[in-house]
Amino acid sequence: MKIICKISLSKDNHILIVKIMEKYYLCSSTQNDFKIIENLDESQVCSYLNSKKSVLPKKE
């Protein structure tokens, strides 16, 4: 399993995009639980990552 992206909602609660084998999943993780919320296709993941890059400040 590879974590592609992690967004912390609180100290112990997170939303993640993970890659398992060749498939992508949107997941939730808590201190006591890990759930797959939705299957994602590669284009959805790429679209999210590209939109995230456009928001980040440019390094000089």
Side-chain angles (χ1 to χ4, degrees):
M1 180 174 88
K2 180 179 180 182
I3 296 173
I4 305 299
C5 181
K6 177 176 153 183
I7 299 171
S8 296
L9 303 175
S10 69
K11 180 182 175 189
D12 297 318
N13 298 318
H14 311 281
I15 298 291
L16 305 107
I17 296 175
V18 298
K19 183 177 183 181
I20 301 172
M21 306 288 285
E22 294 301 317
K23 297 188 179 192
Y24 294 93
Y25 303 93
L26 179 65
C27 304
S28 66
S29 136
T30 66
Q31 194 170 16
N32 300 317
D33 197 19
F34 183 89
K35 291 184 181 175
I36 294 176
I37 299 170
E38 185 175 342
N39 295 340
L40 301 172
D41 61 39
E42 189 171 0
S43 66
Q44 290 173 300
V45 175
C46 289
S47 177
Y48 171 75
L49 293 174
N50 286 334
S51 70
K52 186 177 170 185
K53 285 179 185 176
S54 66
V55 176
L56 295 174
K58 293 181 181 178
K59 292 182 180 180
E60 294 184 25

Short mmCIF file of all heavy atoms in Angstrom, two decimals:
data_model
loop_
_atom_site.label_atom_id
_atom_site.label_comp_id
_atom_site.label_asym_id
_atom_site.label_seq_id
_atom_site.Cartn_x
_atom_site.Cartn_y
_atom_site.Cartn_z
N MET A 1 0.84 -1.18 0.00
CA MET A 1 0.00 0.00 0.00
C MET A 1 0.89 1.24 0.00
O MET A 1 1.84 1.33 0.76
CB MET A 1 -0.89 0.00 1.24
CG MET A 1 -1.80 1.22 1.30
SD MET A 1 -3.00 1.19 2.64
CE MET A 1 -2.05 1.92 3.95
N LYS A 2 0.54 2.19 -0.85
CA LYS A 2 1.26 3.45 -0.92
C LYS A 2 0.27 4.59 -0.69
O LYS A 2 -0.78 4.64 -1.33
CB LYS A 2 1.91 3.61 -2.29
CG LYS A 2 2.67 4.90 -2.43
CD LYS A 2 3.33 5.00 -3.78
CE LYS A 2 4.07 6.32 -3.89
NZ LYS A 2 4.68 6.49 -5.20
N ILE A 3 0.60 5.50 0.23
CA ILE A 3 -0.24 6.66 0.48
C ILE A 3 0.10 7.72 -0.55
O ILE A 3 1.23 8.19 -0.63
CB ILE A 3 -0.05 7.19 1.91
CG1 ILE A 3 -0.50 6.13 2.92
CG2 ILE A 3 -0.83 8.49 2.10
CD1 ILE A 3 -0.22 6.47 4.36
N ILE A 4 -0.88 8.09 -1.36
CA ILE A 4 -0.71 9.10 -2.40
C ILE A 4 -0.93 10.49 -1.82
O ILE A 4 -0.21 11.44 -2.13
CB ILE A 4 -1.68 8.86 -3.57
CG1 ILE A 4 -1.54 7.44 -4.12
CG2 ILE A 4 -1.52 9.92 -4.64
CD1 ILE A 4 -0.18 7.11 -4.69
N CYS A 5 -1.94 10.61 -0.96
CA CYS A 5 -2.27 11.89 -0.36
C CYS A 5 -2.95 11.64 0.98
O CYS A 5 -3.71 10.68 1.12
CB CYS A 5 -3.21 12.64 -1.30
SG CYS A 5 -3.68 14.26 -0.68
N LYS A 6 -2.68 12.53 1.94
CA LYS A 6 -3.29 12.40 3.27
C LYS A 6 -3.74 13.78 3.73
O LYS A 6 -2.95 14.72 3.74
CB LYS A 6 -2.29 11.80 4.24
CG LYS A 6 -2.79 11.69 5.65
CD LYS A 6 -1.72 11.00 6.50
CE LYS A 6 -1.82 11.39 7.93
NZ LYS A 6 -0.75 10.80 8.73
N ILE A 7 -4.99 13.87 4.13
CA ILE A 7 -5.54 15.12 4.67
C ILE A 7 -6.00 14.83 6.10
O ILE A 7 -6.82 13.94 6.33
CB ILE A 7 -6.74 15.61 3.83
CG1 ILE A 7 -6.29 15.89 2.41
CG2 ILE A 7 -7.36 16.86 4.48
CD1 ILE A 7 -7.41 16.17 1.46
N SER A 8 -5.42 15.56 7.03
CA SER A 8 -5.78 15.38 8.43
C SER A 8 -7.03 16.20 8.75
O SER A 8 -7.09 17.39 8.48
CB SER A 8 -4.63 15.82 9.33
OG SER A 8 -3.52 15.00 9.12
N LEU A 9 -7.99 15.52 9.33
CA LEU A 9 -9.22 16.19 9.76
C LEU A 9 -9.14 16.55 11.24
O LEU A 9 -9.75 17.51 11.68
CB LEU A 9 -10.43 15.30 9.51
CG LEU A 9 -10.62 14.84 8.07
CD1 LEU A 9 -11.77 13.87 7.98
CD2 LEU A 9 -10.83 16.03 7.17
N SER A 10 -8.39 15.76 11.98
CA SER A 10 -8.11 16.01 13.39
C SER A 10 -6.87 15.20 13.73
O SER A 10 -6.28 14.57 12.85
CB SER A 10 -9.30 15.62 14.27
OG SER A 10 -9.47 14.23 14.28
N LYS A 11 -6.52 15.18 14.99
CA LYS A 11 -5.30 14.48 15.40
C LYS A 11 -5.30 13.01 14.96
O LYS A 11 -4.28 12.50 14.51
CB LYS A 11 -5.15 14.57 16.93
CG LYS A 11 -3.94 13.87 17.46
CD LYS A 11 -3.87 13.95 18.97
CE LYS A 11 -2.71 13.12 19.47
NZ LYS A 11 -2.73 12.98 20.93
N ASP A 12 -6.44 12.35 15.07
CA ASP A 12 -6.50 10.91 14.78
C ASP A 12 -7.41 10.54 13.61
O ASP A 12 -7.67 9.37 13.38
CB ASP A 12 -6.97 10.15 16.03
CG ASP A 12 -6.01 10.29 17.19
OD1 ASP A 12 -4.79 10.21 16.96
OD2 ASP A 12 -6.48 10.48 18.33
N ASN A 13 -7.91 11.52 12.88
CA ASN A 13 -8.82 11.24 11.76
C ASN A 13 -8.26 11.81 10.47
O ASN A 13 -7.89 12.98 10.41
CB ASN A 13 -10.19 11.86 12.03
CG ASN A 13 -10.84 11.28 13.26
OD1 ASN A 13 -10.80 10.09 13.48
ND2 ASN A 13 -11.44 12.13 14.06
N HIS A 14 -8.22 10.96 9.45
CA HIS A 14 -7.61 11.34 8.18
C HIS A 14 -8.42 10.81 7.01
O HIS A 14 -9.08 9.79 7.10
CB HIS A 14 -6.19 10.79 8.08
CG HIS A 14 -5.35 11.04 9.28
ND1 HIS A 14 -4.75 12.25 9.52
CD2 HIS A 14 -5.05 10.25 10.32
CE1 HIS A 14 -4.08 12.19 10.66
NE2 HIS A 14 -4.26 10.98 11.17
N ILE A 15 -8.32 11.53 5.91
CA ILE A 15 -8.83 11.07 4.61
C ILE A 15 -7.59 10.82 3.76
O ILE A 15 -6.67 11.64 3.73
CB ILE A 15 -9.72 12.13 3.94
CG1 ILE A 15 -10.94 12.43 4.80
CG2 ILE A 15 -10.11 11.71 2.53
CD1 ILE A 15 -11.94 11.31 4.89
N LEU A 16 -7.57 9.69 3.08
CA LEU A 16 -6.39 9.32 2.30
C LEU A 16 -6.77 8.87 0.90
O LEU A 16 -7.85 8.31 0.70
CB LEU A 16 -5.66 8.15 2.97
CG LEU A 16 -5.26 8.32 4.40
CD1 LEU A 16 -6.14 7.49 5.29
CD2 LEU A 16 -3.82 7.93 4.59
N ILE A 17 -5.86 9.08 -0.02
CA ILE A 17 -5.91 8.40 -1.31
C ILE A 17 -4.75 7.41 -1.26
O ILE A 17 -3.60 7.80 -1.02
CB ILE A 17 -5.73 9.37 -2.48
CG1 ILE A 17 -6.91 10.35 -2.52
CG2 ILE A 17 -5.65 8.59 -3.80
CD1 ILE A 17 -6.76 11.44 -3.57
N VAL A 18 -5.08 6.15 -1.44
CA VAL A 18 -4.05 5.12 -1.38
C VAL A 18 -4.04 4.31 -2.68
O VAL A 18 -5.05 4.22 -3.38
CB VAL A 18 -4.24 4.17 -0.17
CG1 VAL A 18 -4.14 4.94 1.13
CG2 VAL A 18 -5.53 3.41 -0.24
N LYS A 19 -2.88 3.73 -2.95
CA LYS A 19 -2.75 2.84 -4.10
C LYS A 19 -2.40 1.46 -3.55
O LYS A 19 -1.42 1.31 -2.81
CB LYS A 19 -1.64 3.33 -5.02
CG LYS A 19 -1.50 2.50 -6.28
CD LYS A 19 -0.44 3.08 -7.20
CE LYS A 19 -0.35 2.29 -8.48
NZ LYS A 19 0.68 2.85 -9.37
N ILE A 20 -3.23 0.50 -3.87
CA ILE A 20 -3.01 -0.89 -3.47
C ILE A 20 -2.96 -1.70 -4.75
O ILE A 20 -3.91 -1.71 -5.52
CB ILE A 20 -4.13 -1.39 -2.54
CG1 ILE A 20 -4.22 -0.51 -1.29
CG2 ILE A 20 -3.89 -2.85 -2.17
CD1 ILE A 20 -5.41 -0.80 -0.40
N MET A 21 -1.82 -2.34 -4.94
CA MET A 21 -1.54 -3.00 -6.20
C MET A 21 -1.60 -1.92 -7.29
O MET A 21 -0.90 -0.97 -7.22
CB MET A 21 -2.50 -4.17 -6.46
CG MET A 21 -2.56 -5.18 -5.34
SD MET A 21 -1.09 -6.22 -5.20
CE MET A 21 -1.32 -7.31 -6.56
N GLU A 22 -2.48 -2.02 -8.24
CA GLU A 22 -2.60 -1.00 -9.29
C GLU A 22 -3.94 -0.27 -9.22
O GLU A 22 -4.37 0.32 -10.19
CB GLU A 22 -2.42 -1.65 -10.68
CG GLU A 22 -1.03 -2.19 -10.92
CD GLU A 22 0.05 -1.11 -10.81
OE1 GLU A 22 -0.13 0.00 -11.32
OE2 GLU A 22 1.08 -1.40 -10.18
N LYS A 23 -4.57 -0.28 -8.06
CA LYS A 23 -5.87 0.36 -7.90
C LYS A 23 -5.79 1.46 -6.85
O LYS A 23 -5.02 1.38 -5.91
CB LYS A 23 -6.93 -0.67 -7.51
CG LYS A 23 -7.13 -1.70 -8.59
CD LYS A 23 -8.29 -2.59 -8.30
CE LYS A 23 -8.43 -3.59 -9.44
NZ LYS A 23 -9.67 -4.31 -9.37
N TYR A 24 -6.63 2.49 -7.03
CA TYR A 24 -6.66 3.64 -6.14
C TYR A 24 -7.97 3.64 -5.34
O TYR A 24 -9.02 3.27 -5.86
CB TYR A 24 -6.58 4.94 -6.93
CG TYR A 24 -5.26 5.12 -7.64
CD1 TYR A 24 -5.10 4.71 -8.96
CD2 TYR A 24 -4.18 5.71 -7.00
CE1 TYR A 24 -3.90 4.87 -9.62
CE2 TYR A 24 -2.97 5.88 -7.64
CZ TYR A 24 -2.84 5.46 -8.96
OH TYR A 24 -1.65 5.63 -9.60
N TYR A 25 -7.85 4.10 -4.08
CA TYR A 25 -9.01 4.14 -3.19
C TYR A 25 -9.01 5.42 -2.37
O TYR A 25 -7.95 5.89 -1.95
CB TYR A 25 -9.00 2.95 -2.23
CG TYR A 25 -8.96 1.62 -2.92
CD1 TYR A 25 -7.76 0.98 -3.18
CD2 TYR A 25 -10.14 1.00 -3.33
CE1 TYR A 25 -7.71 -0.24 -3.83
CE2 TYR A 25 -10.10 -0.23 -3.99
CZ TYR A 25 -8.90 -0.84 -4.22
OH TYR A 25 -8.86 -2.04 -4.87
N LEU A 26 -10.19 5.94 -2.12
CA LEU A 26 -10.38 7.02 -1.16
C LEU A 26 -10.76 6.33 0.14
O LEU A 26 -11.69 5.53 0.18
CB LEU A 26 -11.52 7.94 -1.63
CG LEU A 26 -11.85 9.10 -0.71
CD1 LEU A 26 -10.67 10.08 -0.64
CD2 LEU A 26 -13.10 9.81 -1.20
N CYS A 27 -10.02 6.65 1.21
CA CYS A 27 -10.20 5.94 2.48
C CYS A 27 -10.30 6.90 3.65
O CYS A 27 -9.85 8.04 3.56
CB CYS A 27 -9.01 5.02 2.74
SG CYS A 27 -8.70 3.84 1.44
N SER A 28 -10.86 6.39 4.72
CA SER A 28 -10.85 7.14 5.98
C SER A 28 -10.08 6.32 7.00
O SER A 28 -10.12 5.08 6.99
CB SER A 28 -12.28 7.41 6.47
OG SER A 28 -12.91 6.20 6.81
N SER A 29 -9.39 7.02 7.85
CA SER A 29 -8.61 6.33 8.85
C SER A 29 -8.79 7.04 10.19
O SER A 29 -8.77 8.27 10.26
CB SER A 29 -7.16 6.33 8.40
OG SER A 29 -6.28 6.63 9.40
N THR A 30 -9.05 6.24 11.22
CA THR A 30 -9.14 6.74 12.58
C THR A 30 -8.19 5.93 13.44
O THR A 30 -7.53 5.02 12.93
CB THR A 30 -10.58 6.61 13.14
OG1 THR A 30 -10.90 5.23 13.26
CG2 THR A 30 -11.60 7.31 12.26
N GLN A 31 -8.16 6.25 14.69
CA GLN A 31 -7.27 5.52 15.59
C GLN A 31 -7.62 4.03 15.63
O GLN A 31 -6.74 3.19 15.79
CB GLN A 31 -7.37 6.13 16.98
CG GLN A 31 -6.27 5.69 17.91
CD GLN A 31 -6.26 6.49 19.20
OE1 GLN A 31 -7.23 7.17 19.53
NE2 GLN A 31 -5.16 6.42 19.91
N ASN A 32 -8.90 3.71 15.45
CA ASN A 32 -9.35 2.32 15.59
C ASN A 32 -9.90 1.68 14.32
O ASN A 32 -10.35 0.54 14.36
CB ASN A 32 -10.44 2.23 16.66
CG ASN A 32 -9.96 2.72 18.01
OD1 ASN A 32 -8.87 2.40 18.43
ND2 ASN A 32 -10.78 3.50 18.68
N ASP A 33 -9.86 2.41 13.21
CA ASP A 33 -10.55 1.90 12.03
C ASP A 33 -9.92 2.42 10.74
O ASP A 33 -9.34 3.50 10.71
CB ASP A 33 -12.02 2.35 12.09
CG ASP A 33 -12.93 1.58 11.17
OD1 ASP A 33 -12.56 0.48 10.74
OD2 ASP A 33 -14.03 2.08 10.90
N PHE A 34 -10.07 1.63 9.69
CA PHE A 34 -9.64 2.02 8.34
C PHE A 34 -10.72 1.53 7.39
O PHE A 34 -11.04 0.34 7.38
CB PHE A 34 -8.28 1.38 8.01
CG PHE A 34 -7.75 1.80 6.68
CD1 PHE A 34 -6.95 2.92 6.56
CD2 PHE A 34 -8.05 1.08 5.53
CE1 PHE A 34 -6.45 3.33 5.33
CE2 PHE A 34 -7.55 1.47 4.30
CZ PHE A 34 -6.75 2.60 4.21
N LYS A 35 -11.30 2.46 6.61
CA LYS A 35 -12.38 2.08 5.69
C LYS A 35 -12.12 2.61 4.30
O LYS A 35 -11.64 3.73 4.14
CB LYS A 35 -13.72 2.64 6.17
CG LYS A 35 -14.23 2.02 7.42
CD LYS A 35 -15.59 2.57 7.76
CE LYS A 35 -16.08 1.94 9.05
NZ LYS A 35 -17.33 2.50 9.51
N ILE A 36 -12.47 1.81 3.32
CA ILE A 36 -12.46 2.26 1.93
C ILE A 36 -13.81 2.92 1.67
O ILE A 36 -14.86 2.31 1.87
CB ILE A 36 -12.22 1.10 0.96
CG1 ILE A 36 -10.81 0.54 1.17
CG2 ILE A 36 -12.44 1.56 -0.48
CD1 ILE A 36 -10.48 -0.67 0.34
N ILE A 37 -13.76 4.19 1.27
CA ILE A 37 -14.98 4.94 1.01
C ILE A 37 -15.42 4.74 -0.44
O ILE A 37 -16.59 4.55 -0.73
CB ILE A 37 -14.76 6.45 1.27
CG1 ILE A 37 -14.39 6.66 2.74
CG2 ILE A 37 -15.97 7.26 0.87
CD1 ILE A 37 -13.92 8.05 3.06
N GLU A 38 -14.43 4.79 -1.35
CA GLU A 38 -14.78 4.73 -2.77
C GLU A 38 -13.57 4.28 -3.59
O GLU A 38 -12.43 4.60 -3.25
CB GLU A 38 -15.20 6.12 -3.24
CG GLU A 38 -15.70 6.18 -4.65
CD GLU A 38 -16.23 7.56 -5.01
OE1 GLU A 38 -16.53 8.35 -4.12
OE2 GLU A 38 -16.32 7.82 -6.22
N ASN A 39 -13.83 3.56 -4.65
CA ASN A 39 -12.79 3.23 -5.62
C ASN A 39 -12.58 4.44 -6.51
O ASN A 39 -13.55 5.12 -6.88
CB ASN A 39 -13.21 2.05 -6.49
CG ASN A 39 -13.37 0.77 -5.70
OD1 ASN A 39 -12.85 0.61 -4.61
ND2 ASN A 39 -14.13 -0.14 -6.26
N LEU A 40 -11.35 4.72 -6.86
CA LEU A 40 -11.03 5.84 -7.75
C LEU A 40 -10.31 5.31 -8.98
O LEU A 40 -9.55 4.35 -8.88
CB LEU A 40 -10.12 6.84 -7.04
CG LEU A 40 -10.63 7.47 -5.75
CD1 LEU A 40 -9.53 8.27 -5.09
CD2 LEU A 40 -11.84 8.34 -6.04
N ASP A 41 -10.54 5.95 -10.11
CA ASP A 41 -9.74 5.57 -11.27
C ASP A 41 -8.54 6.52 -11.35
O ASP A 41 -8.51 7.57 -10.69
CB ASP A 41 -10.55 5.53 -12.56
CG ASP A 41 -11.18 6.84 -12.94
OD1 ASP A 41 -10.53 7.89 -12.76
OD2 ASP A 41 -12.32 6.81 -13.43
N GLU A 42 -7.58 6.14 -12.12
CA GLU A 42 -6.32 6.90 -12.20
C GLU A 42 -6.54 8.34 -12.66
O GLU A 42 -5.88 9.26 -12.18
CB GLU A 42 -5.34 6.19 -13.14
CG GLU A 42 -3.96 6.79 -13.09
CD GLU A 42 -2.94 5.96 -13.85
OE1 GLU A 42 -3.30 4.92 -14.43
OE2 GLU A 42 -1.77 6.37 -13.85
N SER A 43 -7.50 8.56 -13.54
CA SER A 43 -7.75 9.92 -14.02
C SER A 43 -8.27 10.83 -12.89
O SER A 43 -7.93 12.01 -12.83
CB SER A 43 -8.73 9.92 -15.19
OG SER A 43 -10.00 9.48 -14.78
N GLN A 44 -9.06 10.28 -11.98
CA GLN A 44 -9.54 11.07 -10.84
C GLN A 44 -8.37 11.46 -9.93
O GLN A 44 -8.31 12.59 -9.46
CB GLN A 44 -10.57 10.28 -10.02
CG GLN A 44 -11.89 10.08 -10.72
CD GLN A 44 -12.80 9.17 -9.95
OE1 GLN A 44 -12.47 8.01 -9.71
NE2 GLN A 44 -13.96 9.68 -9.57
N VAL A 45 -7.48 10.54 -9.70
CA VAL A 45 -6.32 10.81 -8.84
C VAL A 45 -5.42 11.85 -9.51
O VAL A 45 -4.99 12.82 -8.86
CB VAL A 45 -5.54 9.51 -8.54
CG1 VAL A 45 -4.27 9.80 -7.76
CG2 VAL A 45 -6.42 8.52 -7.78
N CYS A 46 -5.16 11.69 -10.78
CA CYS A 46 -4.32 12.65 -11.51
C CYS A 46 -4.94 14.03 -11.52
O CYS A 46 -4.26 15.03 -11.32
CB CYS A 46 -4.07 12.17 -12.93
SG CYS A 46 -2.99 10.75 -13.02
N SER A 47 -6.23 14.09 -11.72
CA SER A 47 -6.93 15.37 -11.73
C SER A 47 -6.81 16.06 -10.38
O SER A 47 -6.53 17.26 -10.30
CB SER A 47 -8.40 15.13 -12.08
OG SER A 47 -9.12 16.31 -12.04
N TYR A 48 -6.98 15.32 -9.30
CA TYR A 48 -6.85 15.89 -7.97
C TYR A 48 -5.42 16.38 -7.73
O TYR A 48 -5.22 17.49 -7.26
CB TYR A 48 -7.23 14.87 -6.89
CG TYR A 48 -6.89 15.38 -5.52
CD1 TYR A 48 -7.67 16.36 -4.91
CD2 TYR A 48 -5.77 14.92 -4.85
CE1 TYR A 48 -7.33 16.87 -3.67
CE2 TYR A 48 -5.43 15.42 -3.61
CZ TYR A 48 -6.21 16.39 -3.02
OH TYR A 48 -5.87 16.90 -1.80
N LEU A 49 -4.44 15.57 -8.06
CA LEU A 49 -3.05 15.95 -7.83
C LEU A 49 -2.66 17.17 -8.66
O LEU A 49 -1.93 18.04 -8.18
CB LEU A 49 -2.11 14.77 -8.11
CG LEU A 49 -2.25 13.60 -7.13
CD1 LEU A 49 -1.38 12.44 -7.60
CD2 LEU A 49 -1.92 13.99 -5.71
N ASN A 50 -3.13 17.26 -9.88
CA ASN A 50 -2.85 18.43 -10.73
C ASN A 50 -3.50 19.69 -10.18
O ASN A 50 -2.90 20.76 -10.20
CB ASN A 50 -3.30 18.18 -12.16
CG ASN A 50 -2.37 17.23 -12.88
OD1 ASN A 50 -1.21 17.12 -12.54
ND2 ASN A 50 -2.92 16.51 -13.85
N SER A 51 -4.71 19.57 -9.67
CA SER A 51 -5.38 20.75 -9.10
C SER A 51 -4.69 21.19 -7.82
O SER A 51 -4.59 22.37 -7.53
CB SER A 51 -6.85 20.46 -8.84
OG SER A 51 -7.02 19.55 -7.78
N LYS A 52 -4.17 20.24 -7.08
CA LYS A 52 -3.45 20.55 -5.84
C LYS A 52 -2.15 21.29 -6.15
O LYS A 52 -1.80 22.25 -5.47
CB LYS A 52 -3.17 19.25 -5.09
CG LYS A 52 -2.57 19.43 -3.73
CD LYS A 52 -2.40 18.09 -3.07
CE LYS A 52 -1.57 18.23 -1.81
NZ LYS A 52 -1.27 16.97 -1.20
N LYS A 53 -1.46 20.89 -7.19
CA LYS A 53 -0.20 21.54 -7.58
C LYS A 53 -0.41 22.99 -8.02
O LYS A 53 0.39 23.85 -7.75
CB LYS A 53 0.47 20.77 -8.72
CG LYS A 53 1.12 19.49 -8.30
CD LYS A 53 1.74 18.79 -9.48
CE LYS A 53 2.29 17.45 -9.08
NZ LYS A 53 2.82 16.71 -10.23
N SER A 54 -1.54 23.25 -8.66
CA SER A 54 -1.78 24.60 -9.16
C SER A 54 -2.08 25.58 -8.02
O SER A 54 -1.99 26.78 -8.20
CB SER A 54 -2.93 24.60 -10.17
OG SER A 54 -4.14 24.25 -9.53
N VAL A 55 -2.43 25.07 -6.85
CA VAL A 55 -2.75 25.92 -5.70
C VAL A 55 -1.49 26.21 -4.87
O VAL A 55 -1.41 27.21 -4.19
CB VAL A 55 -3.83 25.25 -4.82
CG1 VAL A 55 -4.09 26.06 -3.57
CG2 VAL A 55 -5.11 25.02 -5.60
N LEU A 56 -0.52 25.33 -4.95
CA LEU A 56 0.70 25.51 -4.16
C LEU A 56 1.53 26.68 -4.66
O LEU A 56 1.62 26.91 -5.86
CB LEU A 56 1.56 24.23 -4.21
CG LEU A 56 0.95 22.98 -3.58
CD1 LEU A 56 1.87 21.78 -3.86
CD2 LEU A 56 0.77 23.14 -2.09
N PRO A 57 2.13 27.43 -3.74
CA PRO A 57 3.00 28.53 -4.19
C PRO A 57 4.24 28.00 -4.90
O PRO A 57 4.73 26.91 -4.58
CB PRO A 57 3.36 29.25 -2.89
CG PRO A 57 3.03 28.29 -1.79
CD PRO A 57 2.04 27.31 -2.32
N LYS A 58 4.71 28.75 -5.86
CA LYS A 58 5.90 28.34 -6.61
C LYS A 58 7.16 28.60 -5.78
O LYS A 58 7.27 29.61 -5.10
CB LYS A 58 6.00 29.11 -7.93
CG LYS A 58 4.89 28.76 -8.88
CD LYS A 58 5.04 29.52 -10.17
CE LYS A 58 3.89 29.16 -11.09
NZ LYS A 58 3.96 29.91 -12.34
N LYS A 59 8.09 27.64 -5.86
CA LYS A 59 9.37 27.80 -5.18
C LYS A 59 10.30 28.64 -6.03
O LYS A 59 10.33 28.50 -7.23
CB LYS A 59 10.01 26.43 -4.90
CG LYS A 59 9.23 25.62 -3.89
CD LYS A 59 9.93 24.30 -3.63
CE LYS A 59 9.16 23.47 -2.62
NZ LYS A 59 9.81 22.20 -2.37
N GLU A 60 11.05 29.50 -5.39
CA GLU A 60 11.99 30.35 -6.14
C GLU A 60 13.41 29.99 -5.82
O GLU A 60 13.76 29.53 -4.83
CB GLU A 60 11.74 31.82 -5.81
CG GLU A 60 10.37 32.24 -6.31
CD GLU A 60 10.14 33.72 -6.07
OE1 GLU A 60 11.10 34.50 -5.97
OE2 GLU A 60 8.97 34.08 -5.97
#
